[in-house]
Amino acid sequence: MSIAIYILVMAVVTYLIRMIPFALLGRKIHSRYFRSFLHYIPYAVLSAMTIPAIFYSTNSVPTAAVGTVVAILLAYLEKPLIVVALAASCAALATGFVL
């Protein structure tokens, strides 16, 4: 029974977090600074979730660092996502074999 209560509380909290901004900010935001701030929030959150996962995905920081550098370089060169992911994984694997 307590699990159902936990799930209900989580559902209510999630709903409130999503509903309150819409209720309070029902009109268009005119502040250029605030709109640009809101534009970059998804990128900041994605980075904050991804970077720690990258460095804890292997048991070695150097392999994760090499994979990250390869991924950033290929992403900067606008390569497809599958190419970036495979090249970064292969670079991390190769670095693991060398070390």
Side-chain angles (χ1 to χ4, degrees):
M1 185 65 172
S2 65
I3 293 176
I5 294 171
Y6 291 145
I7 292 173
L8 180 66
V9 169
M10 288 188 310
V12 168
V13 168
T14 301
Y15 177 74
L16 287 175
I17 289 172
R18 294 170 189 249
M19 189 262 318
I20 288 173
F22 285 121
L24 295 178
L25 302 172
R27 57 186 165 76
K28 185 175 179 176
I29 299 171
H30 295 290
S31 171
R32 190 173 183 186
Y33 174 76
F34 191 63
R35 282 187 14 214
S36 68
F37 171 76
L38 291 176
H39 176 76
Y40 289 108
I41 286 179
Y43 301 110
V45 171
L46 183 62
S47 298
M49 290 171 28
T50 305
I51 297 298
I54 290 170
F55 285 102
Y56 289 120
S57 63
T58 64
N59 291 331
S60 173
V61 173
T63 59
V66 169
T68 303
V69 168
V70 169
I72 290 172
L73 178 67
L74 291 175
Y76 181 75
L77 296 174
E78 297 181 356
K79 299 299 178 188
L81 179 61
I82 190 71
V83 172
V84 173
L86 289 175
S89 299
C90 289
L93 183 66
T95 304
F97 284 140
V98 169
L99 295 179

